[in-house]
Amino acid sequence: MRAWLEDHNGRRFPFDTSCSIGRLPGSTVTLDDRQVSRRHALIFIHADGDFWLLDFGSSNGTLLNGQAVREPRRLNNSDRIEINSHKFQFRVKRSSAGGPPSGRGEAWEETEKKFTSYESHGHGVIVLAANGEVQMISPHAVAWLKDYFPNAASATSLPKELSDWLRGQRGRAVTTGSFGRTGSPLVLTRDNKRLHVQLAEAGGDQQVLLFTEQELTSLQSSLQKLGLTRRESEVMFWLTEGKTNAEIGRILNTSPRTVERHVGKILAKLNVENRASAIVCAMELTGKRA
C-alpha cells in the first residue's frame, strides 16, 4: 500500500496510482451525499512520484488544508482534504513524505507564471486509460471539447485533432522544473479566448490531460491595432516571451517555417529590421514591460 485516504473513523482507502472521489458507484471513495458530485475529485500520481489533487469542477468544491482547490495541487503527507462534510487525511508511505522534492514545490505556479498575460477562467481534466479511452472527464472539459472541437463525436473519446497531438507527445522528455509538462502544449484560439491543453504523465497506465481556458489580454488586442493579424499578434506575443520559432510552432500547432514567414510580415509592418527591435517596439507601443 503506497498511499491512502483516512477518514475521521480511521477507515482507510488505499491506492497505488490514482484515487477517484465522488458519488459515482465504483469510485475509490464513494460518498453517498447529494452535495457531492458524481465525479468530484481525483488524486493521481505523476511520473516524478508526487501525488496531485484535482477538483473536477464540482459544484460545491474541494478543500485542501482549508483552501479551495482551483487548480491541480501537489499533496504532502498528512494534508487534509474536505468535500462537503467529509474529511480525510492524505497519507503516503515513502522516505520523503515530509516535504516536496527540491525544485517542485511551486510547480503549478511556475507553469502559470509563463502565462501571466492571460486571465484564467477555470480548468478541466480528462483521465485516459492506456488504450486512450476516456475514463473521467470534468464538466469544463466536456464543454470545451464541444466549443473547440465541433466535429467531436462524443465525450467518451477524444477528437481526432486532440488524439493526433497526444500521439506526438508520448515519449517526449518532461521539462525540468515544471508541473510534469510532457512535450509541448496544444493551444487553440476561438473568438477572444484560448484553450491550453497539457499532458501530465500519470503513474501506471493512466494519462491526464489538463485544460485551461484563458481570455486574450490587451497586449494582443493592442498588437492587432498596430496592423497585425490575429495570428501575427499571437506570434508576436510569444516572441516577447522569448520563444524560438520552433517553440512557437509547437505552441500554435504550426511549422517553424510558417512562423518565420509571420515574423517577416511582422518586421515589415512594424518597420524594423530584426525580432529584437520588434520586441522592443511592441513593448513600447503596448506599454508592456520587459
Side-chain angles (χ1 to χ4, degrees), residues 106-128:
E106 302 298 327
W108 182 260
E109 288 78 359
E110 287 181 14
T111 301
E112 288 296 292
K113 285 178 183 178
K114 295 182 181 298
F115 300 94
T116 53
S117 293
Y118 297 100
E119 180 182 358
S120 176
H121 286 275
H123 66 272
V125 184
I126 294 180
V127 180
L128 301 172

Side-chain angles (χ1 to χ4, degrees), residues 5-279:
L5 290 181
E6 188 171 314
D7 65 15
H8 66 284
N9 292 320
R11 183 171 51 162
R12 292 185 175 187
F13 301 88
F15 55 95
D16 291 321
T17 57
S18 66
C19 172
S20 56
I21 308 171
R23 204 172 71 247
L24 192 68
S27 300
T28 309
V29 181
T30 302
L31 302 176
D32 186 14
D33 183 340
R34 298 300 299 180
Q35 299 301 312
V36 175
S37 298
R38 295 175 73 248
R39 293 185 176 93
H40 197 104
L42 173 76
I43 298 172
F44 76 95
I45 183 173
H46 185 259
D48 60 14
D50 285 343
F51 286 89
W52 288 75
L53 173 65
L54 304 170
D55 182 273
F56 273 95
S58 61
S59 300
N60 295 316
T62 302
L63 298 180
L64 175 62
N65 297 325
Q67 296 185 340
V69 176
R70 303 190 185 283
E71 64 271 324
R73 297 281 300 277
R74 184 179 46 76
L75 291 171
N76 292 314
N77 189 48
S78 299
D79 276 348
R80 303 184 315 277
I81 299 172
E82 296 179 48
I83 297 178
N84 195 27
S85 61
H86 308 276
K87 300 181 180 180
F88 303 92
Q89 190 168 46
F90 171 74
R91 292 291 191 181
V92 60
K93 188 176 182 180
R94 61 185 180 189
S95 59
S96 59
S102 176
R104 299 277 183 175
E106 302 298 327
W108 182 260
E109 288 78 359
E110 287 181 14
T111 301
E112 288 296 292
K113 285 178 183 178
K114 295 182 181 298
F115 300 94
T116 53
S117 293
Y118 297 100
E119 180 182 358
S120 176
H121 286 275
H123 66 272
V125 184
I126 294 180
V127 180
L128 301 172
N131 62 0
E133 180 182 347
V134 175
Q135 290 185 322
M136 297 181 184
I137 184 168
S138 70
H140 278 331
V142 171
W144 291 333
L145 287 182
K146 293 179 181 178
D147 290 343
Y148 288 88
F149 303 93
N151 296 323
S154 68
T156 60
S157 61
L158 295 181
K160 183 179 184 302
E161 182 179 358
L162 190 54
S163 295
D164 291 344
W165 166 81
L166 182 59
R167 279 194 294 272
Q169 304 309 301
R170 290 174 178 145
R172 290 192 179 185
V174 176
T175 304
T176 302
S178 69
F179 172 68
R181 295 183 300 146
T182 303
S184 302
L186 175 65
V187 182
L188 301 169
T189 302
R190 181 182 65 87
D191 299 329
N192 66 332
K193 295 181 180 180
R194 171 170 292 159
L195 184 68
H196 181 273
V197 187
Q198 184 68 62
L199 170 64
E201 294 282 358
D205 295 328
Q206 289 182 321
Q207 289 180 311
V208 176
L209 296 181
L210 304 177
F211 292 70
T212 305
E213 186 179 52
Q214 301 140 332
E215 285 189 357
L216 301 181
T217 60
S218 58
L219 172 60
Q220 274 145 318
S221 298
S222 298
L223 289 172
Q224 290 184 42
K225 291 178 182 178
L226 297 178
L228 304 186
T229 65
R230 175 180 293 180
R231 179 59 87 179
E232 290 166 355
S233 70
E234 291 174 336
V235 171
M236 188 67 244
F237 169 78
W238 291 112
L239 286 178
T240 64
E241 293 294 303
K243 301 296 184 182
T244 65
N245 287 355
E247 290 172 328
I248 295 172
R250 287 194 293 269
I251 291 171
L252 299 180
N253 198 28
T254 189
S255 69
R257 180 173 294 183
T258 298
V259 174
E260 183 61 35
R261 287 199 293 267
H262 286 309
V263 171
K265 293 178 181 179
I266 291 170
L267 298 184
K269 289 182 178 181
L270 297 184
N271 195 27
V272 294
E273 296 182 353
N274 53 56
R275 63 183 62 205
S277 298
I279 292 172

